Amino acid sequence: QQQVKQSPQSLIVQKGGIPIINCAYENTAFDYFPWYQQFPGKGPALLIAIRPDVSEKKEGRFTISFNKSAKQFSLHIMDSQPGDSATYFCAARFRDSNYQLIWGAGTKLIIKP
Amino acid sequence: GAGVSQSPSNKVTEKGKDVELRCDPISGHTALYWYRQSLGQGLEFLIYFQGNSAPDKSGLPSDRFSAERTGGSVSTLTIQRTQQEDSAVYLCASSPTFYEQYFGPGTRLTVT
């Protein structure tokens, strides 16, 4: 019940396309949903985050869509660029356990030139 | 300002040896996390420190793993009697709140 299921495991998109990465959860005690971006050899870095009282949030070319009733949230990257190639992790903050982040398994995204 | 730093960046050790991994969090951050990331895999939570509270050790995989945080700042993760399955990247993160976590670059541990 504390899991966050992320899909797909890997994704290849042409430059300019819109990759979509999906995450699903079961536990309603999650109250904050961030996405992290990780480049090879680096630690993850916060990309964008959303709370469950909002259905969509945009920051630049990155958008989170949140469907509270379906317990799903997704990351969309508009006008994707080769520099967006990275591994993306979704996460959910579990407010009933020291506010721990529960992490998805990650999606390796490749943007082809 | 300075981010989270970790040392060493790479560590190769022989099976059975003990290793210590160090994390210097961002100054003022009260929360500190250790994660393990195997090649191409997600993040495995190991341990969490918050201020002066007792650490949450629920993610430590065995009693060979331990961690301490001195003076609410620097943290050391110790792995005793290393095994080949301990080979991974060990990531440290700090946070000023219960929201964003700031990650260091990690320590790549290879056990031969």
Side-chain angles (χ1 to χ4, degrees):
Chain A
Q1 279 209 335
Q2 291 190 26
Q3 285 184 330
V4 176
K5 296 181 180 179
Q6 183 172 347
S7 62
Q9 187 174 8
S10 62
L11 184 58
I12 300 174
V13 173
Q14 289 293 133
K15 176 184 173 181
I18 305 176
I20 301 173
I21 304 170
N22 300 297
C23 286
Y25 63 97
E26 289 293 328
N27 199 317
T28 58
F30 293 139
D31 66 351
Y32 167 74
F33 301 87
W35 285 90
Y36 280 74
Q37 180 188 54
Q38 185 179 29
F39 293 107
K42 306 290 186 183
L46 181 66
L47 187 62
I48 185 173
I50 198 167
R51 299 200 197 196
D53 54 348
V54 176
S55 62
E56 184 176 278
K57 183 174 181 180
K58 291 184 180 181
E59 287 188 5
R61 296 183 294 107
F62 300 92
T63 299
I64 298 179
S65 297
F66 187 83
N67 186 330
K68 188 174 182 178
S69 60
K71 297 180 186 174
Q72 296 176 347
F73 58 109
S74 59
L75 176 70
H76 302 231
I77 306 176
M78 305 302 178
D79 187 27
S80 59
Q81 301 296 314
D84 297 329
S85 297
T87 298
Y88 292 81
F89 293 95
C90 65
R93 192 182 75 166
F94 188 46
R95 68 168 182 263
D96 294 341
S97 177
N98 287 329
Y99 297 95
Q100 288 288 1
L101 281 181
I102 308 301
W103 296 84
T107 296
K108 184 173 183 179
L109 174 65
I110 296 173
I111 307 298
K112 286 192 166 184
Chain B
V4 177
S5 61
Q6 293 186 244
S7 61
S9 55
N10 282 284
K11 176 72 175 179
V12 179
T13 190
E14 292 181 353
K15 177 182 173 181
K17 300 284 190 182
D18 298 351
V19 295
E20 287 189 351
L21 312 180
R22 177 187 169 105
C23 172
D24 283 88
I26 295 173
S27 178
H29 283 194
T30 57
L32 187 147
Y33 305 79
W34 282 99
Y35 295 92
R36 180 167 68 177
Q37 186 174 34
S38 300
L39 186 63
Q41 300 299 311
L43 298 170
E44 177 187 5
F45 165 75
L46 296 177
I47 188 169
Y48 161 60
F49 296 89
Q50 175 59 47
N52 295 321
S53 301
D56 179 351
K57 304 179 182 179
S58 60
L60 294 178
S62 77
D63 58 9
R64 297 187 295 106
F65 288 73
S66 62
E68 63 177 18
R69 187 179 185 191
T70 55
S73 182
V74 172
S75 178
T76 302
L77 177 69
T78 301
I79 308 173
Q80 295 179 311
R81 305 180 302 280
T82 52
Q83 303 294 314
Q84 287 189 329
E85 60 263 29
D86 299 334
S87 296
V89 174
Y90 289 82
L91 291 162
C92 173
S94 69
S95 177
T97 66
F98 292 116
Y99 291 97
E100 179 171 1
Q101 295 184 18
Y102 296 79
F103 283 82
T107 293
R108 181 175 298 278
L109 175 66
T110 304
V111 182
T112 61

